[in-house]
Coordinates of all heavy atoms in Angstrom, one line a residue:
V1 N 68.3 108.9 74.8 CA 68.6 107.6 74.6 C 70.1 107.5 74.3 O 70.9 106.6 74.7 CB 67.7 106.8 73.6 CG1 68.2 105.4 73.5 CG2 66.3 106.9 74.1
E2 N 70.5 108.3 73.3 CA 71.9 108.2 72.8 C 72.9 108.5 74.0 O 73.9 107.9 74.1 CB 72.1 109.3 71.7 CG 71.4 108.9 70.4 CD 71.4 110.0 69.4 OE1 72.1 111.0 69.6 OE2 70.9 109.7 68.3
E3 N 72.5 109.5 74.8 CA 73.4 109.9 75.9 C 73.4 108.7 77.0 O 74.5 108.3 77.5 CB 73.0 111.2 76.6 CG 73.8 111.6 77.8 CD 73.3 112.8 78.4 OE1 72.2 113.3 78.1 OE2 74.0 113.4 79.3
F4 N 72.2 108.2 77.2 CA 72.1 107.0 78.1 C 72.9 105.8 77.7 O 73.7 105.2 78.5 CB 70.6 106.7 78.3 CG 70.4 105.4 78.9 CD1 70.4 105.3 80.3 CD2 70.0 104.2 78.3 CE1 70.1 104.1 81.0 CE2 69.7 103.1 78.9 CZ 69.8 103.0 80.3
L5 N 72.8 105.5 76.4 CA 73.5 104.3 75.9 C 75.0 104.5 75.9 O 75.8 103.6 76.1 CB 73.0 103.9 74.5 CG 71.6 103.4 74.5 CD1 71.1 103.2 73.0 CD2 71.4 102.1 75.2
A6 N 75.4 105.7 75.6 CA 76.9 106.1 75.6 C 77.4 105.9 77.0 O 78.5 105.3 77.2 CB 77.1 107.5 75.1
A7 N 76.6 106.3 78.0 CA 77.1 106.1 79.4 C 77.1 104.7 79.8 O 77.9 104.3 80.6 CB 76.2 107.0 80.3
A8 N 76.1 103.9 79.3 CA 76.0 102.5 79.7 C 77.0 101.6 79.1 O 77.3 100.5 79.5 CB 74.6 102.0 79.3
T9 N 77.7 102.1 78.0 CA 78.7 101.3 77.3 C 80.1 101.8 77.3 O 80.9 101.2 76.6 CB 78.2 101.2 75.8 OG1 78.1 102.4 75.2 CG2 76.9 100.4 75.7
N10 N 80.3 102.8 78.2 CA 81.8 103.3 78.1 C 82.7 102.6 79.1 O 83.8 103.1 79.2 CB 81.7 104.8 78.4 CG 81.5 105.2 79.8 OD1 81.2 104.4 80.7 ND2 81.7 106.5 80.2
G11 N 82.2 101.6 79.9 CA 83.1 100.8 80.7 C 83.2 101.4 82.1 O 83.8 100.8 83.0
Q12 N 82.5 102.5 82.5 CA 82.5 103.0 83.8 C 81.1 103.3 84.2 O 80.2 103.7 83.4 CB 83.3 104.3 83.8 CG 84.8 104.1 83.5 CD 85.5 105.4 83.6 OE1 85.0 106.5 83.6 NE2 86.9 105.4 83.4
T13 N 80.8 103.1 85.5 CA 79.4 103.3 85.9 C 79.1 104.8 86.2 O 77.9 105.2 86.4 CB 79.1 102.4 87.1 OG1 80.0 102.7 88.1 CG2 79.2 100.9 86.7
G14 N 80.1 105.5 86.6 CA 80.0 106.9 87.1 C 79.1 107.8 86.1 O 78.1 108.4 86.6
P15 N 79.4 107.9 84.9 CA 78.6 108.7 84.0 C 77.0 108.3 83.9 O 76.2 109.1 83.9 CB 79.2 108.5 82.6 CG 80.6 108.1 82.9 CD 80.5 107.3 84.1
L16 N 76.8 107.0 84.1 CA 75.4 106.5 84.0 C 74.8 106.8 85.4 O 73.6 107.2 85.4 CB 75.5 105.0 83.8 CG 74.1 104.3 83.6 CD1 73.3 105.0 82.5 CD2 74.3 102.8 83.3
V17 N 75.5 106.7 86.5 CA 74.9 107.0 87.8 C 74.4 108.5 87.8 O 73.3 108.7 88.4 CB 75.9 106.8 88.9 CG1 75.4 107.4 90.2 CG2 76.2 105.3 89.1
R18 N 75.1 109.3 87.2 CA 74.8 110.8 87.1 C 73.5 111.1 86.4 O 72.8 112.0 86.5 CB 75.9 111.6 86.6 CG 77.1 111.7 87.5 CD 78.1 112.7 87.1 NE 79.0 112.3 86.0 CZ 80.0 111.6 86.1 NH1 80.4 111.2 87.3 NH2 80.7 111.3 85.0
L19 N 73.2 110.2 85.4 CA 72.0 110.3 84.6 C 70.7 109.8 85.3 O 69.6 110.2 85.0 CB 72.1 109.6 83.3 CG 73.1 110.2 82.2 CD1 73.1 109.2 81.0 CD2 72.7 111.5 81.9
L20 N 70.9 109.0 86.3 CA 69.9 108.3 87.0 C 69.5 109.1 88.3 O 70.3 109.8 88.9 CB 70.3 106.8 87.5 CG 70.6 105.9 86.3 CD1 71.3 104.6 86.9 CD2 69.4 105.5 85.6
T21 N 68.2 108.9 88.7 CA 67.8 109.4 90.0 C 68.3 108.5 91.1 O 68.7 107.4 90.8 CB 66.3 109.5 90.2 OG1 65.7 108.2 90.0 CG2 65.6 110.4 89.1
E22 N 68.5 109.1 92.3 CA 69.2 108.3 93.3 C 68.3 106.9 93.6 O 68.9 106.0 94.0 CB 69.2 109.1 94.6 CG 70.0 108.5 95.8 CD 70.1 109.5 97.0 OE1 70.0 110.7 96.8 OE2 70.4 108.9 98.1
D23 N 67.0 107.1 93.5 CA 66.2 105.9 93.8 C 65.7 105.2 92.5 O 64.6 104.6 92.5 CB 64.9 106.3 94.6 CG 64.1 107.4 93.9 OD1 64.6 107.9 92.9 OD2 62.9 107.7 94.4
A24 N 66.5 105.3 91.4 CA 66.1 104.7 90.1 C 65.9 103.2 90.4 O 66.5 102.5 91.2 CB 67.2 105.0 89.2
I25 N 65.1 102.6 89.4 CA 64.9 101.2 89.5 C 65.1 100.7 88.0 O 64.9 101.4 87.1 CB 63.5 100.7 90.0 CG1 62.3 101.3 89.1 CG2 63.3 101.2 91.4 CD1 61.0 100.8 89.3
S26 N 65.3 99.3 87.9 CA 65.4 98.7 86.6 C 64.6 97.4 86.8 O 64.8 96.5 87.6 CB 66.9 98.4 86.2 OG 66.9 97.8 85.0
I27 N 63.7 97.2 85.8 CA 62.8 96.0 85.8 C 62.9 95.4 84.4 O 62.9 96.1 83.4 CB 61.3 96.4 86.1 CG1 61.3 97.2 87.5 CG2 60.5 95.2 86.2 CD1 59.9 97.7 87.8
G28 N 62.8 94.0 84.4 CA 62.9 93.3 83.1 C 61.7 92.3 83.1 O 61.4 91.7 84.1
D29 N 61.1 92.1 81.8 CA 60.0 91.1 81.7 C 60.5 90.2 80.6 O 60.6 90.5 79.4 CB 58.8 91.8 81.2 CG 57.6 90.9 81.0 OD1 57.8 89.6 81.0 OD2 56.5 91.4 80.8
G30 N 60.9 89.0 81.0 CA 61.2 87.9 80.0 C 60.2 86.9 79.8 O 60.3 86.0 79.0
G31 N 59.2 86.9 80.7 CA 58.1 86.0 80.6 C 58.4 84.5 80.8 O 57.8 83.6 80.3
G32 N 59.6 84.3 81.4 CA 60.1 82.8 81.5 C 60.7 82.3 80.2 O 61.2 81.2 80.2
K33 N 60.8 83.1 79.2 CA 61.2 82.7 77.9 C 62.7 83.2 77.6 O 63.5 82.6 76.9 CB 60.4 83.0 76.8 CG 58.9 82.4 77.0 CD 58.0 82.6 75.8 CE 56.7 81.9 76.0 NZ 55.8 81.9 74.9
V34 N 63.0 84.4 78.2 CA 64.3 85.0 78.1 C 64.7 85.3 79.5 O 63.9 85.9 80.3 CB 64.3 86.3 77.2 CG1 65.6 87.0 77.2 CG2 63.8 85.9 75.8
P35 N 66.0 85.1 79.9 CA 66.4 85.4 81.2 C 66.1 86.9 81.6 O 66.5 87.8 80.8 CB 67.9 85.1 81.2 CG 68.0 84.1 80.1 CD 67.1 84.5 79.1
A36 N 65.5 87.1 82.7 CA 65.3 88.4 83.2 C 65.1 88.3 84.7 O 64.4 87.5 85.2 CB 64.0 89.1 82.6
R37 N 65.8 89.2 85.5 CA 65.8 89.1 86.9 C 64.4 89.4 87.5 O 63.7 90.3 87.1 CB 66.8 90.1 87.5 CG 66.8 90.3 89.0 CD 67.8 91.3 89.4 NE 67.6 91.7 90.8 CZ 68.4 91.3 91.7 NH1 69.4 90.5 91.6 NH2 68.3 91.8 93.0
A38 N 63.9 88.5 88.4 CA 62.6 88.6 88.9 C 62.4 89.8 89.8 O 61.3 90.4 89.9 CB 62.1 87.3 89.6
K39 N 63.5 90.2 90.5 CA 63.3 91.3 91.4 C 64.0 92.5 90.8 O 65.1 92.4 90.2 CB 64.0 90.9 92.7 CG 63.9 91.9 93.9 CD 64.5 91.3 95.1 CE 64.2 92.2 96.3 NZ 64.8 93.6 96.2
A40 N 63.4 93.7 91.0 CA 63.9 94.9 90.4 C 65.2 95.3 91.1 O 65.4 95.0 92.2 CB 62.9 96.0 90.6
F41 N 66.1 95.9 90.3 CA 67.3 96.5 90.9 C 66.9 97.8 91.4 O 66.1 98.6 90.7 CB 68.4 96.7 89.7 CG 69.1 95.4 89.4 CD1 68.6 94.6 88.3 CD2 70.1 94.9 90.0 CE1 69.1 93.4 87.9 CE2 70.8 93.7 89.6 CZ 70.2 93.0 88.6
E42 N 67.4 98.2 92.5 CA 67.0 99.5 93.1 C 68.2 100.3 93.5 O 69.1 99.9 94.0 CB 66.1 99.2 94.4 CG 64.8 98.5 94.1 CD 64.0 98.2 95.3 OE1 64.4 98.6 96.4 OE2 63.0 97.6 95.2
G43 N 68.1 101.6 93.2 CA 69.1 102.5 93.5 C 70.1 102.8 92.2 O 70.3 101.9 91.5
A44 N 70.5 104.0 92.1 CA 71.3 104.4 90.9 C 72.6 103.5 90.7 O 72.8 103.1 89.6 CB 71.7 105.9 91.0
V45 N 73.3 103.3 91.8 CA 74.5 102.5 91.7 C 74.2 101.1 91.2 O 74.8 100.5 90.3 CB 75.3 102.5 93.0 CG1 76.5 101.5 92.9 CG2 75.8 103.9 93.3
A46 N 73.2 100.4 91.8 CA 72.8 99.1 91.5 C 72.4 99.0 90.0 O 72.7 98.1 89.3 CB 71.8 98.5 92.4

């Protein structure tokens, strides 16, 4: 988690892309109460 967060906050996407699988996904659940994208992000770069 520490490595992941360091990569996610260093201002560049490259280090984070290297930690992710090529087909990685990101999903959020806000339940309509907190903004969260309804459709998952797909792919390491996205």
Side-chain angles (χ1 to χ4, degrees):
V1 177
E2 289 173 4
E3 184 181 5
F4 168 81
L5 290 173
T9 56
N10 78 348
Q12 297 178 351
T13 57
L16 188 52
V17 168
R18 287 192 287 274
L19 293 178
L20 300 166
T21 61
E22 189 176 340
D23 58 350
I25 62 167
S26 177
I27 305 171
D29 178 351
K33 301 189 175 184
V34 174
R37 180 181 161 98
K39 190 174 184 299
F41 289 92
E42 299 180 1
V45 173

